Amino acid sequence: MAEQARSLEINEALEFQNRFMRVQRVLAIVAVLVLLVAVAGVFGTGPLAHATTTGTRGLRVDFDRFVRAEASTDIVVTLPGGKGKTNVAIDNGYLDKTEIGQVSPEPSDVTALPDRTIYTVQQTPPSHVRFNITPQKAGVYHVTIWAGGGRQVRFTQIVYP
Amino acid sequence: MIPVARALAMYLFLLVLVRVSGKRTLAEVTVFDFILLLIISECTQQAMTGNDFSVTNGFLLVLTLVTVDRLSDWVTSRSERIDQVVSDAPLVLVDEGRVLHDRLKASHMRVDEILEAARTDQGLERLDQIKYAVLERSGGISVIPSKDD
């Protein structure tokens, strides 16, 4: 219904506008908080995103716990001690939902088993194997990584759309 | 499904963001507003297409956006309440020559902006020549000059 501002016929909906301005102020604060949280890494790439987990017999994995779909991330597997050829395996449940880019050092062999894919690399201490991975779909990923000598580590990654 | 979902998500997010940012952003009043709107379009493009650059994907995205836009027009034409939520309402800033400072402040505006609109649209020189100034839904300012007696 039109309101009269003297001779001006106009529908200001003042009550709605006042309420909406309050909503705007709240949402502005929320936006700033979301930005701060993003800078901290909750949406990927930042101090809160980075994590390290240690599995059995000294196997260590550095990874980003928060990543975004179609954005690449690195998983770095650190093998304790030893020399020569060693195997690092990643479960196929994770690999089916991601794209593997570069693996460094380059594996001499890649073997696909029903539940995992094994990458054979030349290990020289300190041995880091870096997997560049691009998740394809949003979701919560539970990842298992195995290494030679019965070592195993598990971690969880949250992938945003 | 993915292209439609992406387009819908971006449309709704931008709708909420632009509504929350205030009327004047849409009017591209300042250089910052203009640059902001320019860059937003670049940011959203990749988010909608992803790695799919096919013609089919392009068709689906455009079709989704146009359909949602038409649908929102239809809904807002039938509901004044929804129209206000989606498109806002005009706000009188100068009433019978009197500047409503509390409304100016709430709209993050200054009297200078009203004077600029008065000069641009009506060729007016002073504030006392303005009878009404209305901040329209588009973010622009309409100026109604006082009639000379």
Side-chain angles (χ1 to χ4, degrees), chain B residues 72-90:
Chain B
S72 75
D73 280 348
W74 182 79
V75 170
T76 54
S77 70
R78 276 157 180 74
S79 167
E80 192 179 324
R81 179 58 108 192
I82 295 177
D83 185 38
Q84 285 168 0
V85 171
V86 172
S87 307
D88 215 335

Side-chain angles (χ1 to χ4, degrees), chain A residues 24-106:
Chain A
Q24 274 180 318
R25 282 193 287 273
V26 169
L27 288 179
I29 294 169
V30 168
V32 171
L33 290 174
V34 167
L35 279 178
L36 289 173
V37 154
V39 166
V42 171
F43 298 114
T45 319
L48 288 182
H50 187 73
T52 299
T53 189
T54 308
T56 54
R57 300 174 60 189
L59 179 65
R60 197 182 89 205
V61 173
D62 292 276
F63 65 102
D64 285 328
R65 59 165 73 95
F66 302 116
V67 294
R68 296 178 299 274
E70 296 180 34
S72 70
T73 181
D74 285 340
I75 294 176
V76 180
V77 179
T78 302
L79 303 165
K83 283 203 306 192
K85 282 192 180 176
T86 193
N87 293 331
V88 177
I90 304 179
D91 74 89
N92 287 340
Y94 181 62
L95 293 178
D96 287 345
K97 290 181 276 198
T98 61
E99 252 180 43
I100 293 269
Q102 193 176 15
V103 181
S104 172
E106 194 166 333

Side-chain angles (χ1 to χ4, degrees), chain A residues 1 5-8 10-14 16-17 19-21 24 27 70, chain B residues 6 19-20 22-23 51 80 84 89-90 92 96 103 106 131-132 134 144:
Chain A
M1 189 175 295
R6 301 297 174 93
S7 62
L8 184 66
I10 190 168
N11 182 6
E12 282 184 282
L14 272 179
F16 164 78
Q17 291 213 49
R19 237 182 301 131
F20 192 78
M21 281 179 193
Q24 274 180 318
L27 288 179
E70 296 180 34
Chain B
R6 279 180 187 257
R19 280 292 283 118
V20 167
K23 292 185 184 62
N51 291 324
E80 192 179 324
Q84 285 168 0
V92 174
E96 293 281 347
R103 294 186 184 188
K131 187 176 184 185
Y132 293 111
V134 178
I144 297 163

